[in-house]
Amino acid sequence: MSHSDDATPGHAPTAGAYITGYLLALVLTLIPFGAVYYDAFSPGVMLLVIAATAILQLGVHLRLFLHLDMSQEQRWNTISVLFSVFTIFVMVGGTLWLFYSLYSRHMMVGY
Amino acid sequence: MASSPSHDLNRVRAAARADSEVNFGFWAYLMSDVVLFSMLFLAYVNLSQRYAGGPTPGDIFSLHGVFLETMALLASSLTFGLAMVSLHQGKKNHIIGWLLATFLLGGFFLWHEVSEFVHIIHEGASFDRSGFLSAYFGLVGTHGAHVFFGMIWLLTMVAQVALRGLTPAIGSRLARLSLFWHFLDLVWICVFSTVYLPGLIQGGSA
């Protein structure tokens, strides 16, 4: 992790990488907005398109804007991301499960 | 100041690396913020259809407005990236220019968001109207507050670069602000994909 004064050229941010990331993110934003604007698909397909483009765009941002990868220097950042994803999975998944179970037991109507 | 200018620039570059040890603590903070936002998203998903007879997403969301906000925030990620490129090239005035561009785009985003808030509250869709609106204002408002503090931080960094020039400490601070700003754009992707677009699907019950 320690490179002291050495500014390794391979890690220097380049305008090209940011512009590539911007254009990819732009396309992945225009697709779901366009789909909703033109009412292009059935609601179920629309949700899939929105979710898929969002996940792809998160990947583009993490890789090209936040420079996240599995290299030695980035390993701990990446591991902390994976740990957060796990934490979120447990909390979000657990809560949704709990609420769904509660809902089906009580048959709550329009609270 | 005995060392050569290129040596100084290398020290600034090294300090600005997002993967340096000092920045890991800030990264850990961002991850805790991710968990906080995930809980707000969860609250929204759970409450998103609790209208209590009040307005629905289709009544208060504007696809046009959300699109403009999204474009502004995405462009601000690019301008901040170009500020970091200028930092590595040691171009002080370019850094200030790109940071100010980022500030203006963030300001446009926030101004647009707040005026939409004011507009829908004026129409009776306040945060105390229904569970849906409480969760909506809680989630989107928390993101907006992050953008607001990011803008204060941006102005602070513009002043530091202008007054003190490029030092390793300032390079290091800019690297953390860069992480923060890109992170805000990441959260916004989740906001428009979870809140606005599903709410605006015509005839959709999402």
Side-chain angles (χ1 to χ4, degrees):
Chain A
M1 248 169 131
S2 170
H3 287 260
S4 61
D5 282 8
D6 170 34
T8 31
H11 287 80
T14 61
Y18 281 111
I19 291 168
T20 308
Y22 174 74
L23 292 177
L24 281 174
L26 193 63
V27 170
L28 290 168
T29 303
L30 290 176
I31 290 171
F33 273 88
V36 172
Y37 182 77
Y38 290 108
D39 200 16
F41 309 107
S42 65
V45 177
M46 206 92 89
L47 284 179
L48 277 179
V49 169
I50 292 168
T53 50
I55 290 167
L56 282 174
Q57 189 172 179
L58 289 178
V60 168
H61 280 237
L62 285 172
R63 185 68 194 84
L64 289 166
F65 289 163
L66 287 156
H67 311 297
L68 207 63
D69 55 45
M70 281 311 271
S71 66
Q72 194 71 43
E73 296 85 359
Q74 284 283 338
R75 186 153 297 163
W76 280 105
N77 287 0
T78 310
I79 287 174
S80 69
V81 171
L82 294 178
F83 177 70
S84 304
V85 169
F86 171 73
T87 311
I88 290 166
F89 176 75
V90 171
M91 295 200 294
V92 172
T95 309
L96 287 177
W97 182 14
L98 186 151
F99 268 88
Y100 179 77
S101 169
L102 197 68
Y103 180 81
S104 55
R105 281 162 205 265
H106 289 261
M107 302 296 283
M108 290 183 288
V109 183
Y111 71 95
Chain B
M1 281 293 157
S3 52
S4 69
S6 70
H7 180 74
D8 283 345
L9 184 56
N10 274 346
R11 286 175 60 218
V12 174
R13 285 176 182 153
R17 291 171 61 104
D19 53 26
S20 72
E21 289 88 341
V22 257
N23 288 337
F24 181 69
F26 190 75
W27 185 263
Y29 151 70
L30 285 182
M31 289 306 106
S32 73
D33 230 18
V34 166
V35 173
L36 181 138
F37 270 110
S38 76
M39 292 299 99
L40 290 168
F41 277 106
L42 183 58
Y44 181 80
V45 170
N46 266 321
L47 292 168
S48 59
Q49 287 168 56
R50 308 293 179 199
Y51 305 132
T56 63
D59 299 330
I60 57 170
F61 295 167
S62 141
L63 190 64
H64 181 71
V66 181
F67 184 69
L68 287 180
E69 290 171 29
T70 305
M71 287 297 109
L73 215 52
L74 183 57
S76 80
S77 262
L78 175 65
T79 54
F80 204 112
L82 295 175
M84 293 309 280
V85 173
S86 307
L87 177 75
H88 274 255
Q89 295 168 345
K91 292 176 179 165
K92 183 180 150 183
N93 290 334
H94 288 213
I95 300 173
I96 294 174
W98 288 123
L99 288 181
L100 284 175
T102 310
F103 178 83
L104 290 177
L105 287 164
F108 174 83
F109 170 87
L110 204 58
W111 169 78
H112 212 278
E113 181 164 83
V114 169
S115 55
E116 290 221 316
F117 279 179
V118 170
H119 176 69
I120 63 173
I121 289 174
H122 197 69
E123 297 209 324
S126 182
F127 50 84
D128 56 356
R129 180 64 187 81
S130 65
F132 154 64
L133 285 164
S134 300
Y136 166 74
F137 278 104
L139 171 59
V140 181
T142 303
H143 176 266
H146 277 72
V147 174
F148 176 73
F149 287 111
M151 286 172 64
I152 293 177
W153 194 357
L154 269 169
L155 276 191
T156 314
M157 290 318 300
V158 167
Q160 288 190 17
V161 173
L163 296 176
R164 296 189 202 162
L166 297 182
T167 68
I170 287 175
S172 177
R173 287 168 201 158
L174 277 173
R176 285 188 288 283
L177 179 54
S178 163
L179 289 177
F180 185 73
W181 197 263
H182 289 311
F183 167 74
L184 291 184
D185 203 7
L186 275 172
V187 175
W188 182 252
I189 295 169
C190 300
V191 170
F192 76 68
S193 304
T194 311
V195 178
Y196 289 106
L197 291 183
L200 284 166
I201 294 175
Q202 289 173 21
S205 58

